[in-house]
Amino acid sequence: MPGRPEPAFLPSITLRGYGDSIWLEGRAVLLEQKGTRRRIPLAAVEGARTVGAGQRSVEISLWGGDGVPGPVFVVEGRHADQADRLVEVINRARPQSAPPGGGAGLVEEMPVGPVAGRKRMSPRERIALLAVLVVYVMGAVVLAVFGEPVQALLWVCGVMPVLLCLIIAGPAVVNARDRLVLRKRGVAVVALFDRAHGRRRFFKYTDLDGGVHEIKADYAVRGLGGDPHRIDVVYDPRRPQKAVCSLAVSTLVFRTVGVCLFGGLFLLMALLMMPFQLLLLVL
């Protein structure tokens, strides 16, 4: 029986479980369990389905041969939506007829082992920046006229801890916001190493619609199964070009503590050197 036309692409969807991982790469399913990575061509797959509590796990059945059922692999996942996406893509792309000799013989076992242009400011951002500059200048003028020279000096120099606080906390807040959004609606995929630019590494991933996007890897990201050429990323299905690297919980906790300590310290200094001086002037 003739098979269905093969799609021109396969989205690199991934499903991570408790120590196990499964993802699509090329026209194959890569399965990593207990230190062993198996590459299962789609030609060897008879079918896939969600199983287990909450339908969060994925079962991959291979074609059998000589009347003997083929092997079955199960990955215990943690996200039902991601498991559904993976099963749907596998079943849509797999062939409808068994290969000669079954699918087990096709399985391979392997040991686990440019700068973007400057973003232009929007009108709203320009207005906000202008308002901040006006407040800064007016505060310095008021303290210079009605306050003590030391107060005016503290106000003028207070911009330094403000900038340091923004440098430390600003990117962290934006990244935390993105991670919270993608935790709810993001799609997890595997990104493959594409190029390096100095110490920066760039990876590419394929979304559900076949679009290929690039992401700059976080320096703390871990390679999938210890392979530095594959990493887990989560992208926004509404804006596929927007994605974050999956990081260990310990890394996220360490960063959060560091940002709170150092960012909070500079914020306190800024409050003492600027708004507090105006408060003393009023009192």
Side-chain angles (χ1 to χ4, degrees), residues 152-176:
L153 180 61
L154 287 175
W155 178 276
V156 172
C157 295
V159 72
M160 295 305 298
V162 171
L163 293 177
L164 290 174
C165 180
L166 291 177
I167 292 174
I168 293 175
V173 171
V174 172
N175 187 264

Side-chain angles (χ1 to χ4, degrees), residues 16 32 37 112-113 222-230:
R16 301 200 68 178
E32 193 170 285
R37 179 177 296 166
V112 174
R222 298 178 182 177
L224 186 61
D227 185 351
H229 294 90
R230 294 179 176 89

Side-chain angles (χ1 to χ4, degrees), residues 5-24:
E6 294 183 352
F9 72 92
L10 283 181
S12 50
I13 301 176
T14 183
L15 177 69
R16 301 200 68 178
Y18 300 93
D20 298 342
S21 298
I22 182 173
W23 70 95
L24 296 174

Side-chain angles (χ1 to χ4, degrees), residues 16-250:
R16 301 200 68 178
Y18 300 93
D20 298 342
S21 298
I22 182 173
W23 70 95
L24 296 174
E25 186 174 307
R27 293 198 57 79
V29 178
L30 272 75
L31 176 65
E32 193 170 285
Q33 290 180 310
K34 299 179 180 179
T36 300
R37 179 177 296 166
R38 294 180 176 88
R39 184 181 185 277
I40 307 174
L42 287 176
V45 178
E46 181 180 10
R49 64 191 183 106
T50 55
V51 296
Q55 301 294 297
R56 294 190 296 265
S57 302
V58 171
E59 178 184 278
I60 305 293
S61 302
L62 306 190
W63 291 101
D66 299 326
V68 179
V72 176
F73 301 98
V74 178
V75 173
E76 296 183 0
R78 289 176 283 186
H79 302 285
D81 291 342
Q82 193 73 3
D84 287 336
R85 294 188 185 105
L86 184 63
V87 167
E88 179 184 357
V89 173
I90 292 176
N91 286 330
R92 186 174 65 240
R94 67 178 178 81
Q96 297 299 297
S97 57
L106 302 179
V107 178
E108 302 176 40
E109 290 194 5
M110 301 172 285
V112 174
V115 181
R118 178 181 296 180
K119 180 182 177 182
R120 300 185 63 180
M121 297 180 65
S122 66
R124 180 178 298 180
E125 291 173 336
R126 293 177 183 176
I127 294 175
L129 179 59
L130 180 61
V132 170
L133 290 177
V134 170
V135 171
Y136 177 70
V137 173
M138 292 301 297
V141 171
V142 169
L143 288 173
V145 175
F146 300 102
E148 299 291 335
V150 175
Q151 290 180 306
L153 180 61
L154 287 175
W155 178 276
V156 172
C157 295
V159 72
M160 295 305 298
V162 171
L163 293 177
L164 290 174
C165 180
L166 291 177
I167 292 174
I168 293 175
V173 171
V174 172
N175 187 264
R177 181 200 62 191
D178 292 342
R179 289 185 180 278
L180 288 175
V181 171
L182 295 180
R183 183 178 179 84
K184 297 178 180 179
R185 67 167 185 248
V187 178
V189 296
V190 173
L192 302 179
F193 176 76
D194 179 61
R195 61 189 175 87
H197 185 76
R199 294 187 177 182
R200 294 176 296 178
R201 297 189 303 152
F202 295 86
F203 290 73
K204 286 187 175 180
Y205 61 92
T206 304
D207 62 37
L208 292 172
D209 296 321
V212 179
H213 309 278
E214 185 178 74
I215 181 174
K216 183 177 75 172
D218 190 289
Y219 73 89
V221 68
R222 298 178 182 177
L224 186 61
D227 185 351
H229 294 90
R230 294 179 176 89
I231 61 173
D232 280 330
V233 302
V234 181
Y235 77 87
D236 189 344
R238 301 179 185 176
R239 297 171 57 193
Q241 72 277 9
K242 182 179 180 180
V244 297
C245 298
S246 297
L247 300 177
V249 174
S250 57

